[in-house]
Amino acid sequence: MKLGRITANPAATEGKYRLTAPPHINEQIVAYRAMYKAVYNEEIPPETMILAILAQFFEADADFRAWRRDTDPATLAPAAEPARRRPRTGSKVTSSEADAGAKEPARESVTISS
């Protein structure tokens, strides 16, 4: 089982998402919960399991981790000077040029359904 035992890990900020899983995904969720119960001898709410699977997915994605490392967490825009990467265009942007192009971060509301 790829998903290890789930322990409490409070997030810094919470987000609320409404999700309706199509039947083929719901069947997988039900089956995975059954396997979790068989392996760990405890039931787990589907929401907790889905969040743990997402957290594991994000942690395993090296490209996503690199993008997060080089991104300003306040705006989710590229940092003015990435910590370990050079600009791909070969041109260097000065911090004053980066500040001049900075915009107010967009506020998003996400509803997931299918």
Side-chain angles (χ1 to χ4, degrees):
M1 174 172 222
K2 270 194 148 184
L3 186 64
R5 183 177 292 271
I6 298 170
T7 59
N9 187 8
T13 58
E14 289 185 354
K16 288 198 176 239
Y17 301 93
R18 189 176 132 216
L19 174 69
T20 303
H24 71 285
I25 297 295
N26 187 52
E27 290 171 8
Q28 299 298 324
I29 291 168
V30 169
Y32 210 87
R33 287 181 65 218
M35 183 174 126
Y36 187 92
K37 183 177 180 181
V39 170
Y40 297 115
N41 199 28
E42 61 184 60
E43 291 202 23
I44 184 169
E47 299 85 359
T48 302
M49 186 191 72
I50 291 166
L51 290 174
I53 290 170
L54 284 172
Q56 183 174 315
F57 176 83
F58 295 142
E59 182 61 31
D61 188 330
D63 290 333
F64 182 65
R65 287 193 323 269
W67 179 83
R68 291 291 302 225
R69 181 188 63 234
D70 295 339
T71 301
D72 180 349
T75 63
L76 294 181
E81 295 182 29
R84 297 182 182 148
R85 292 187 179 179
R86 296 187 328 216
R88 293 179 186 210
T89 61
S91 63
K92 185 172 181 174
V93 177
T94 65
S95 59
S96 60
E97 290 172 331
D99 291 340
K103 295 180 181 178
E104 182 68 24
R107 305 284 183 219
E108 292 185 21
S109 174
V110 178
T111 300
I112 302 171
S113 62
S114 58

